[in-house]
């Protein structure tokens, strides 16, 4: 059963005109935080949906790891960063 994640965000407009979104994934077992660079104005719901989509994509990438050679796939997402809290 998939558990609903609680995601909170804060935004900051950069000198370039882009928007930096800092997000927190509030999960008791594995809290995380990260940054998403948004190049155009978007509603908060769309930003959270994009964050959830990218988190799910990361989970799918790590699910298929070889247990004898656990090398994380290299991601070329230069506008999405994720860290463990």
């Amino acid at each position: 059963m998939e558990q609903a994640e609680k995601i909170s965000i804060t935004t900051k407009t950069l000198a370039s005109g882009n928007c930096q979104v800092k997000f927190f994934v509030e999960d008791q077992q594995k809290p995380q935080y990260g940054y998403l660079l948004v190049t155009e104005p978007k509603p908060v719901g769309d930003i959270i949906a994009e964050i959830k989509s990218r988190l799910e994509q990361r989970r799918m990438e790590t699910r298929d790891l070889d247990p004898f050679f656990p090398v994380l796939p290299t991601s070329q997402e230069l506008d999405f960063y994720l860290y463990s809290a």
Side-chain angles (χ1 to χ4, degrees):
M1 181 176 171
E2 187 175 319
Q3 166 181 330
E5 300 170 325
K6 183 174 181 190
I7 297 176
S8 58
I9 65 170
T10 57
T11 60
K12 176 181 176 182
T13 302
L14 304 175
S16 65
N18 294 334
C19 183
Q20 179 188 50
V21 178
K22 182 174 184 179
F23 62 90
F24 299 92
V25 180
E26 298 171 23
D27 183 349
Q28 290 184 359
Q29 295 174 348
K30 189 177 179 184
Q32 297 175 309
Y33 71 98
Y35 298 92
L36 173 68
L37 183 65
V38 180
T39 57
E40 59 189 37
K42 290 185 178 183
V44 172
D46 290 351
I47 292 172
I48 291 176
E50 183 171 349
I51 292 169
K52 285 182 178 182
S53 171
R54 291 192 185 207
L55 288 171
E56 183 60 27
Q57 181 180 3
R58 291 272 177 104
R59 280 189 208 103
M60 295 303 290
E61 288 174 355
T62 58
R63 184 177 293 161
D64 297 330
L65 287 178
D66 182 352
F68 298 107
F69 193 65
V71 175
L72 291 174
T74 57
S75 181
Q76 295 298 331
E77 293 181 299
L78 300 177
D79 60 347
F80 185 77
Y81 298 93
L82 183 63
Y83 306 97
S84 295

